């Protein structure tokens, strides 16, 4: 049906833009301008949330030995005369640049994150609040996922604390959408409010059950893959509900 198509489209847009915030802000703007009906915009927001997990999943791919070939491919495509190959090359170069930046940020976070992770280890609620605050500052749940993965890899946080942090990140990432919604017509405000409500209610409901939410990610092959699994599990359950 149309809601399912809208959900899939929202996920695809987020995966393409590598940013759920950009996707949801676009949806708020489109709804506010009358270009998108609420019946389509609201499922698309759920899809954008699921797409954020796809972004982390892409970043979790073991590409260490493929950097040079992929960069060469991106450069070769960018030199072709036709528009479509050039666009693909630019997208690939952007993805590789984002991956490099995320990993560099992760290494820095492991070095300076001790005070945050010490507080996170004391109680899931503190990890949740840290996720809200840091993601609101960074305006990127993908970067927040990279931070939590870095802390997992360094042994500074366990999966339970990282999961609570990610729940908070899913709330913090809605603040930019809410700000845009406040300046939008009624339909845009409704879409922004829907995004905030879905993420906030889902996070609060799952916070007492972080162990259950983290369980499917326990066997992930890498910390970033574990973070992607938690994000996918949370957002898929929220969308299904």
């Amino acid at each position: 049906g149309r809601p399912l198509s809208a959900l899939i489209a929202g996920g695809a847009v987020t995966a393409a833009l590598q940013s759920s915030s950009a996707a949801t802000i676009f949806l708020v703007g489109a709804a506010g301008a009358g270009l998108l009906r609420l019946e389509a915009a609201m499922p698309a927001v759920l899809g954008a949330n699921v797409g954020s997990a796809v972004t982390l999943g892409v970043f979790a791919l073991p590409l260490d030995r493929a950097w040079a070939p992929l960069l060469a491919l991106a450069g070769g495509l960018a030199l072709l005369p036709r528009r479509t190959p050039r666009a693909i090359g630019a997208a690939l170069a952007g993805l590789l640049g984002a991956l490099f930046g995320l990993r560099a940020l992760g290494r820095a976070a492991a070095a300076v994150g001790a005070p945050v992770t010490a507080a996170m280890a004391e109680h899931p609620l503190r990890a949740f609040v840290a996720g809200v605050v840091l993601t609101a500052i960074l305006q990127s749940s993908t970067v927040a996922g990279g931070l939590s993965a870095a802390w997992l890899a360094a042994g500074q946080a366990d999966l339970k604390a990282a999961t609570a942090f990610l729940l908070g990140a899913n709330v913090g990432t809605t603040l930019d959408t809410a700000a845009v919604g406040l300046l939008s017509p009624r339909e845009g405000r409704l879409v922004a409010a829907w995004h905030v409500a879905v993420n906030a209610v889902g996070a609060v409901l799952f916070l007492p059950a972080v162990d259950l939410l983290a369980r499917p990610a326990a066997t992930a092959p890498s910390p970033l893959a574990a973070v992607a699994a938690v994000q996918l599990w949370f957002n898929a359950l929220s969308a299904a509900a």
Side-chain angles (χ1 to χ4, degrees), residues 55-105:
T55 299
L56 287 168
V58 171
F59 287 157
L61 294 175
L63 298 177
D64 293 338
R65 296 183 180 181
W67 277 102
L70 288 174
L71 280 173
L73 176 62
L77 290 171
L79 294 175
L80 293 176
R82 301 187 67 176
R83 181 180 301 176
T84 300
R86 289 205 310 269
I88 294 173
L92 179 57
L95 175 62
L96 293 172
L99 178 57
F100 178 82
L102 187 64
R103 292 189 175 183
L105 179 64

Side-chain angles (χ1 to χ4, degrees), residues 105-155:
L105 179 64
R107 287 191 291 270
V112 302
V116 177
T117 53
M120 286 169 53
E122 294 179 9
H123 196 278
L125 183 58
R126 291 193 174 188
F128 176 83
V129 172
V132 174
V133 173
L134 284 178
T135 307
I137 294 171
L138 296 169
Q139 286 306 303
S140 174
S141 59
T142 301
V143 172
L147 292 177
S148 59
W151 293 331
L152 278 172

Side-chain angles (χ1 to χ4, degrees), residues 13-208:
V13 169
T14 298
L17 296 175
Q18 298 298 312
S19 171
S20 60
S21 293
T24 51
I25 287 172
F26 167 78
L27 292 170
V28 169
L35 301 175
L36 192 64
R37 299 178 64 180
L38 291 177
E39 304 94 277
M42 289 181 172
V45 166
L46 300 179
N49 285 345
V50 175
S52 67
V54 175
T55 299
L56 287 168
V58 171
F59 287 157
L61 294 175
L63 298 177
D64 293 338
R65 296 183 180 181
W67 277 102
L70 288 174
L71 280 173
L73 176 62
L77 290 171
L79 294 175
L80 293 176
R82 301 187 67 176
R83 181 180 301 176
T84 300
R86 289 205 310 269
I88 294 173
L92 179 57
L95 175 62
L96 293 172
L99 178 57
F100 178 82
L102 187 64
R103 292 189 175 183
L105 179 64
R107 287 191 291 270
V112 302
V116 177
T117 53
M120 286 169 53
E122 294 179 9
H123 196 278
L125 183 58
R126 291 193 174 188
F128 176 83
V129 172
V132 174
V133 173
L134 284 178
T135 307
I137 294 171
L138 296 169
Q139 286 306 303
S140 174
S141 59
T142 301
V143 172
L147 292 177
S148 59
W151 293 331
L152 278 172
Q156 294 176 321
D158 59 17
L159 191 53
K160 179 178 180 179
T163 299
F165 179 85
L166 288 169
L167 291 178
N170 278 281
V171 177
T173 195
T174 66
L175 297 186
D176 54 353
T177 308
V180 172
L182 290 175
L183 303 175
S184 300
R186 176 179 176 274
E187 289 76 10
R189 291 197 301 272
L190 288 174
V191 173
W194 168 252
H195 185 216
V196 174
V198 166
N199 286 30
V201 171
V204 170
L205 290 177
F206 278 109
L207 185 59

